[in-house]
Amino acid sequence: MAKVLVVTSGKGGVGKTTSTAALGAALAQNGANVVVVDFDVGLRNLDLVMGAERRVVYDLINVVQGDAKLVQALIRDKRIENLSLLPASQTRDKDALTPEGVERVIGELKGKFDWVICDSSAGIEKGAMLAMYHADVAVVVTNPEVSSVRDSDRIIGMLDSKTAKAERGEAIEKHLLITRFDAGRAARGEMLSVDDVVEILSIPLLGIIPESEEVLRASNVGSPVTLASPAGIAARAYFDAARRLSGETVEMVVPMERKGLMSRLFGRRVA
Amino acid sequence: MSLLDMFFKRKPTAGVARERLQVLLAHERIATGHSELLAKLLEEIIQVITRHIKIDRDQVHVKLDPGNDMSTLEIDVDLPTVMPVASGR
């Protein structure tokens, strides 16, 4: 049975697109048939983060409006054959998305893939609402920072009231993904701790992604971090999160950067 | 607290962040709950009235005044002097 997953946050810039690419790639690397769908119409970036920006011919809007067939718009990843991308339109705006069109496209994707991962736009406007509407599972991406936590709380409220599942009186499965976490700063009381964020938002924790240079390096070269540096701390955290999404029980570890001698001597001190 | 922090007298701020969020979100959750309740009430009140009297949507207003001990729900319906009875009754 195909699962529709929305990666959402309310606030922009917290790591939705990075997490969509990394979780999608990690699930595909574990053998699942995955499509990642960019719902950020007008400001698409999932193509760039996935390294497929020069292969976009047709997009979600073309398929929603019936101007292209789904198979024409899907871009198969060159590194993992069971990973595909459905890009957003860069020239149109969110009004081109219709609820009926989105429902038809999601239905078609469910027939082809195990996981349909929707990368939501920021905000609580039409694009974000349509991205979450058909979801079975939601990953709420949150930075350990006050404005991100507040916006996540708002989005959680909407997941519970404005999705198809909620309207049918069913519960939507929600998971918290904490990104850009710095264990040292949290230990020194400079940053909200994992426990703080989990307690405030009260949804189950899916994973803790550390603030890491690997994430920027991966997006620089257009590769999900789980492909670019699979042994790094960020990738390992995403692999664990992907396994939890698939129903496995994986022990939660707070990822810590292992510092070399030079950075121990000259870098910033770690608690 | 580390030696550096003691030296610079830098106070940890995460606790402040946590408390501010807890207070703020407690209020905001009630407020969004209220606005959803009001939207539902408005919809159903309009349905009940239009079963008997022809009115426009913008002739019905509902307002919730939250108080400490008691909250007030205000329902304001503008009715025309000669009431046009809805068909079917």
Side-chain angles (χ1 to χ4, degrees):
Chain A
M1 225 337 233
K3 274 199 174 175
V4 181
L5 184 155
V6 63
V7 179
T8 184
S9 68
K11 189 174 185 299
V14 296
K16 278 184 297 298
T17 302
T18 304
S19 297
T20 302
L23 287 175
L27 285 164
Q29 283 164 283
N30 289 339
N33 210 356
V34 181
V35 62
V36 288
V37 186
D38 193 346
F39 268 83
D40 203 349
V41 176
L43 289 169
R44 76 168 173 223
N45 274 318
L46 189 54
D47 56 332
L48 194 55
V49 170
M50 300 278 294
E53 69 277 11
R54 296 173 63 179
R55 299 173 62 205
V56 177
V57 182
Y58 294 108
D59 56 52
L60 175 64
I61 299 293
N62 296 138
V63 184
V64 161
Q65 299 195 329
D67 298 330
K69 290 205 175 84
L70 181 60
V71 286
Q72 294 177 292
L74 285 173
I75 302 168
R76 184 174 288 196
D77 193 272
K78 286 198 165 157
R79 300 148 297 204
I80 321 170
E81 63 164 19
N82 48 325
L83 175 63
S84 296
L85 161 73
L86 181 56
S89 169
Q90 183 69 341
T91 48
R92 308 291 296 274
D93 64 35
K94 291 176 175 72
D95 291 333
L97 283 175
T98 61
E100 303 74 32
V102 170
E103 185 173 3
R104 181 176 52 81
V105 173
I106 297 277
E108 267 187 72
L109 290 171
K110 281 171 84 171
K112 287 177 186 289
F113 297 94
D114 303 320
W115 287 95
V116 179
I117 305 184
C118 306
D119 182 17
S120 174
S121 49
I124 50 172
E125 304 301 319
K126 194 177 177 186
M129 299 321 279
L130 280 173
M132 72 164 66
Y133 188 75
H134 298 284
D136 304 301
V137 187
V139 170
V140 180
V141 182
T142 307
N143 292 166
E145 175 272 326
V146 287
S147 55
S148 174
V149 174
R150 180 198 209 172
D151 291 0
S152 291
D153 191 73
R154 187 85 199 277
I155 282 291
I156 291 168
M158 291 183 160
L159 288 166
D160 286 332
S161 61
K162 303 264 190 316
T163 54
K165 273 205 149 184
E167 286 173 3
R168 289 197 299 266
E170 297 167 33
I172 179 165
E173 196 184 306
K174 301 178 294 281
H175 300 277
L176 174 64
L177 187 68
I178 298 179
T179 53
R180 310 199 72 164
F181 185 71
D182 185 327
R185 300 195 72 189
R188 290 195 297 274
E190 295 172 16
M191 179 183 263
L192 286 168
S193 71
V194 170
D195 288 347
D196 288 341
V197 182
V198 172
E199 192 197 322
I200 292 168
L201 294 177
S202 15
I203 60 170
L205 183 62
L206 180 71
I208 309 159
I209 314 298
E211 172 82 74
S212 162
E213 293 167 9
E214 293 150 10
V215 172
L216 180 60
R217 265 207 302 274
S219 79
N220 283 344
V221 299
S223 169
V225 71
T226 53
L227 276 171
S229 32
I233 51 166
R236 278 185 285 137
Y238 276 118
F239 277 122
D240 284 355
R243 285 171 59 196
R244 291 184 194 107
L245 275 178
S246 316
E248 283 181 56
T249 311
V250 185
E251 196 200 344
M252 190 70 67
V253 286
V254 179
M256 297 273 241
E257 197 96 51
R258 250 179 282 137
K259 293 258 176 180
L261 181 66
M262 292 307 274
S263 56
R264 264 178 211 277
L265 286 176
F266 302 110
R268 296 191 47 192
R269 53 183 305 286
V270 209
Chain B
M1 193 179 277
S2 73
L3 203 66
L4 263 180
D5 287 342
M6 290 208 286
F7 191 71
F8 291 110
K9 288 215 166 75
R10 202 166 46 182
K11 283 195 186 127
T13 49
V16 181
R18 184 183 56 231
E19 275 164 35
R20 288 177 62 220
L21 273 170
Q22 279 166 338
V23 171
L24 175 73
L25 294 182
H27 278 97
E28 285 188 344
R29 281 169 194 162
I30 293 169
T32 39
H34 278 168
S35 71
E36 270 161 31
L37 172 67
L38 277 184
K40 256 186 214 160
L41 281 174
L42 178 65
E43 209 47 53
E44 289 181 20
I45 290 166
I46 291 171
Q47 278 175 23
V48 170
I49 296 173
T50 48
R51 233 183 276 160
H52 306 281
I53 308 162
K54 259 186 164 174
I55 50 157
D56 285 335
R57 302 185 63 86
D58 53 11
Q59 285 174 274
V60 184
H61 308 272
V62 290
K63 202 175 129 196
L64 190 64
D65 273 329
N68 282 334
D69 298 331
M70 201 192 287
S71 301
T72 322
L73 178 68
E74 202 178 296
I75 305 171
D76 188 1
V77 187
D78 299 334
L79 292 178
T81 35
V82 182
M83 282 191 258
V85 178
S87 55
R89 288 292 295 217

